[in-house]
Each structure stands twice: as C-alpha cells, then as structure tokens.
Amino acid sequence: MSDAAATASKPSPLHYISEHLQDLRNKGTAPKLRVLDGEQKPVAVFDGKEIINLASNNYLGLTTHKSLRKASLEATRKYGVGAGAVRTIAGTMKLHMELEEQIARFKNVEACVVFQSGFTANAGTVSAVLGKEDLIISDELNHASIIDGARLSKATIKVFKHKDVQDCERILQETANWNGHKLIITDGVFSMDGEIAPLPELCTLAEKYNCIMMIDDAHSSGVLGRNGRGTVDHLNCHGRVHIQVGTLSKAIGAMGGYVCGSRDLIDYLYLRARPFLFSTSHPPGTAAACQAAFTLLDSPEGERLVKKLWANTKFFKRELKKRGFQFKASETPIIPIHVGEVAKAFEFSRKLFDAGVFAPAVGYPTVAEGKARLRAIVSATHKREHLLRAADTLAEVGKTLGVV
Ligand SMILES: *Cc1c(COP(=O)(O)O)cnc(C)c1O
C-alpha cells in the first residue's frame, strides 16, 4: 500500500468531533446559524424571511444609527480600514485615546482602556490583575469570559450561589485568613435572566473583607443608570467598584469592550493585559462609531432612547403577563421564557420563527441543564404593533407546546 492510500484509509484524528456533532443533531440541540440579510433592526430578514426581531442586543438601535454610520464612514475614508498593529507597538491611534478619555468622562472615573471585545476585556483583565496566590469569588451565573479569565489567572475560584449575598459572605468568612488578594466579581445584569446584581450589598462585603470589587456591565451599558451609565450609577455605588467592565458591542451598537478604573489600574493593563498586548486594536471606523455612540448617549436623544427602551420593556412584559407568561426574576429588557427541556426550547424557537418572530433558544452550556428557555430582548426601536404581534405569536405557539 502506498503512503497516501494508508493515510486515506485511516480515520481522521478529528473523527470524534463528527460523532459528538451527530449526537447533538440527534438530540435536536444543534441549531443552524440564522443568517441576517440586511440591517439589524426590529423587523429584519433572517434566512430570507421577514421576522420581528427579539434576538439582538441592539437595545437602542445604534447599529444602524445615522450618526454612528457617518462617523465610521468618515474615519474609514480618512484613516483606512485597519489599525495595522497591536496597541503597544504601533496600533494606538488618536481615535483610540480619545475614545478612552470619552468613556472615562462618561463613567466618571479616572481612566479607561478599550479592548477588542467585552470578552477580551474580562478575560484579559481578570488574568492580569490576579495570580495563583489569589482568590476569586464569583457569582455562579457570571459570564463565560469572566470564568475563562479566572481560569487563566490560575487563582483559586470560589463560586457563590446566584445573587446570594449571604453565601458570598460565608465564603469570605471561610477564607478570612487568605494571604493573597481577593476579588469579588459579578455581572451587573445577568444575560440569561435579566436580573440586576445586588451590587450595594456586594460592595459592603468587599469593603468589610478588603476585596477588590469588579462588575461586568455588558448588558447594563446603555441600559441602566442616567443616559445608560450602567449599574454603578443605577444603584448609586459611585467610588465603591474598583473595576468596571463594559461592552461596546451591545447597546453601544458597534464592537469592543472597555475597562474603567483608576489611572494606575489602566496603565497596568496597558502593560499586562494579554489581548491588549497581543491582538490588533480596533479599526478606525469602529473607534469613531463608538465615540459617536457615547456622544449620542450623553445627549437628549440618548436620554430619550433609554426612556423608550424602558417604556417598551414595561409594555411588552405587561402584554406577555396578560397572556399567561411568567418571568418573575427579570428586571430589565431581557425576558426569559422558561421551557425546561432543551429540545423543546429549540422546537419552540423554530415554530415561533416560522410564525414570524425570532427569539433564540438557549440551553446547556449557556444555561444549566433542564433550564432551557427562549430569550426575548426588547429594544427602543420596536414599535408597539411589533411587540403586540410578538406577544400574540408567542402565546399562540406557546399554547401548542403547553408552555403557557
Ligand atoms: C456579551 C457579554 C460579554 C461579551 O461582550 P462582547 O463585546 O460581545 O465580547 C461579556 N459579559 C457579558 C455579561 C455579556 O453578556
């Protein structure tokens, strides 16, 4: 047998992937990607079908806002399409520095560093700030990027029950003699249930037990607080949170993440956060679009958009409740519709899509096993008629599946 023939007859060393994949497909838990053709809007075309869109994180409609588009186009025309290097070599443009200063002013903190994504902001920051002698105390439903950052840091990780301040304190008492640094970390708004973190109580614990306090405000930036300043502003915890992470990819409408804190923290991250050091910075168009987004947020139009988002959220929740849906925990525009079994959640989402409404199913590993759900997200740009039609359709399809 020739070498080539011998190679061809051997199974690929990756064949186990195909087996896992087939297994997921058989269980009905391997959905295909929905493909958007056109703009990310409240009514959009996915897979060639026009649907009411309850699936995007575009809370304020900024992905298609004219002032962001204009800023992005102008910066692209002037400066080209790429930054050409990582920040620490030659990829720091004036646009990046201006954006960081603007965000720091907006959040009323000393300094800010922008990352390529919220994911890299979390992962890069936790792993730069903590080391193997240290302790991370983390809410059990924190985002994957926090968990990955915690693992990369090699610190000891202890998990407290979701939003359970007493359980967090139990861990702090048990580790009272810990020699290394300690970090308490929580999402500001939990992305799967739409709940707000008990931030004031966690800050009190951080102060009592001398911990660093960190919050991930991905779903709160542009949503909570004055003009969308985030959870710290919403819950009046100014000056009590050492590290505030946010994303530029959700309500801000473009792409990226940021970390806000003291000047020294940010200068240290410039030297030690690995995504900052080893991955190229934002294209000029993206940095300029983000600047335009913060300018907009901090204007009367921004205030109006945030108010509209909350008015739409109240309206949609009321309409869903009238139709028998329950989502006690949600305090934000994220509305979970609990189904339980993952295959059924995928079936619900598929039937809903066929009926003209897009709300994705989320199952394991995004949420715990047996807690599968649909997740609906309201935006400022939905019209009442969209939300009414979506509520009717959810109820109709939900009934056929015994979910409501
Ligand atoms: C979406 C999200 C991120 C990641 O943000 P990207 O900018 O999309 O990478 C981080 N944390 C939480 C809680 C999120 O929901």
Side-chain angles (χ1 to χ4, degrees):
M1 204 162 41
S2 73
D3 284 357
T7 308
S9 67
K10 269 201 225 158
S12 156
L14 263 178
H15 78 277
Y16 67 97
I17 294 285
S18 309
E19 285 165 20
H20 287 183
L21 185 63
Q22 196 51 49
D23 189 40
L24 293 172
R25 286 184 178 144
N26 292 344
K27 286 188 197 144
T29 58
K32 286 229 256 321
L33 301 173
R34 298 267 186 219
V35 179
L36 172 63
D37 187 2
E39 297 176 330
Q40 183 69 269
K41 289 229 167 183
V43 176
V45 176
F46 280 87
D47 294 347
K49 184 179 166 70
E50 189 174 279
I51 48 82
I52 296 172
N53 185 359
L54 299 176
S56 106
N57 302 313
N58 183 22
Y59 288 104
L60 302 174
L62 299 195
T63 61
T64 53
H65 193 282
K66 62 180 185 310
S67 73
L68 277 74
R69 278 191 214 251
K70 183 161 169 274
S72 172
L73 286 168
E74 275 173 9
T76 305
R77 219 170 267 131
K78 243 170 134 173
Y79 305 114
V81 297
V86 302
R87 289 284 301 270
T88 48
I89 308 286
T92 294
M93 303 178 86
K94 212 168 153 214
L95 285 169
H96 298 127
M97 299 309 290
E98 286 167 356
L99 174 61
E100 290 177 345
E101 285 159 22
Q102 188 180 7
I103 298 173
R105 274 197 308 278
F106 181 74
K107 300 280 281 189
N108 196 23
V109 292
E110 271 180 32
C112 169
V113 49
V114 166
F115 285 82
Q116 301 85 351
S117 70
F119 197 107
T120 53
N122 269 327
T125 300
V126 176
S127 58
V129 171
L130 282 297
K132 65 177 186 307
E133 312 295 324
D134 301 329
L135 176 64
I136 297 171
I137 302 156
S138 175
D139 187 288
E140 68 178 323
L141 294 190
N142 275 346
H143 191 259
S145 53
I146 293 176
I147 298 168
D148 284 12
R151 288 177 184 160
L152 282 170
S153 75
K154 302 196 175 81
T156 301
I157 304 164
K158 296 205 182 268
V159 173
F160 60 92
K161 289 197 198 114
H162 180 47
K163 285 186 64 175
D164 189 333
V165 178
Q166 277 170 1
D167 197 45
C168 181
E169 182 152 30
R170 174 191 61 79
I171 294 171
L172 288 163
Q173 282 165 348
E174 285 170 12
T175 54
N177 297 323
W178 192 271
N179 279 325
H181 309 290
K182 292 180 280 189
L183 172 83
I184 301 177
I185 186 162
T186 183
D187 281 13
V189 168
F190 289 88
S191 52
M192 291 300 143
D193 286 297
E195 305 157 295
I196 301 173
L199 188 63
E201 294 82 359
L202 291 176
C203 286
T204 301
L205 288 184
E207 286 151 8
K208 184 169 166 190
Y209 293 91
N210 197 27
C211 303
I212 307 159
M213 185 69 224
M214 175 166 172
I215 189 165
D216 173 7
D217 249 353
H219 279 283
S220 346
S221 323
V223 175
L224 288 180
R226 284 169 304 136
N227 299 62
R229 278 178 168 72
T231 313
V232 169
D233 190 71
H234 177 68
L235 295 173
N236 202 13
C237 292
H238 298 280
R240 302 180 75 190
V241 178
H242 305 96
I243 308 176
Q244 293 184 58
V245 170
T247 178
L248 304 167
S249 329
K250 290 178 171 135
I252 305 305
M255 173 107 219
Y258 59 86
V259 180
C260 283
S262 68
R263 183 74 257 168
D264 280 356
L265 170 72
I266 302 312
D267 285 347
Y268 185 75
L269 292 175
Y270 277 179
L271 301 174
R272 284 292 178 273
R274 291 168 70 84
F276 188 87
L277 290 152
F278 294 106
S279 183
T280 298
S281 52
H282 275 143
T286 306
C290 293
Q291 284 189 25
F294 283 98
T295 303
L296 178 81
L297 257 188
D298 217 4
S299 75
E301 189 188 345
E303 195 178 333
R304 192 182 57 72
L305 281 173
V306 176
K307 282 206 174 114
K308 187 76 199 304
L309 169 65
W310 284 95
N312 278 351
T313 299
K314 283 204 184 93
F315 176 78
F316 191 50
K317 282 182 172 171
R318 197 165 58 232
E319 291 301 323
L320 286 179
K321 279 184 181 148
K322 273 192 213 162
R323 290 162 180 76
F325 289 100
Q326 289 180 353
F327 32 82
K328 285 194 283 294
S330 168
E331 303 168 85
T332 66
I334 297 174
I335 305 173
I337 293 169
H338 288 279
V339 179
E341 201 200 316
V342 62
K344 193 163 166 183
F346 281 111
E347 190 189 355
F348 191 1
S349 180
R350 208 164 42 240
K351 289 191 165 155
L352 197 64
F353 188 86
D354 292 341
V357 176
F358 183 15
V362 265
Y364 182 82
T366 309
V367 296
E369 223 131 8
K371 296 208 168 162
R373 68 200 61 179
L374 300 197
R375 183 178 67 165
I377 298 185
V378 179
S379 82
T381 48
H382 282 98
K383 298 215 165 72
R384 293 280 154 108
E385 73 198 60
H386 302 143
L387 297 174
L388 279 175
R389 192 142 39 96
D392 282 340
T393 311
L394 269 158
E396 277 160 31
V397 179
K399 264 183 208 133
T400 68
L401 292 169
V403 171
V404 69

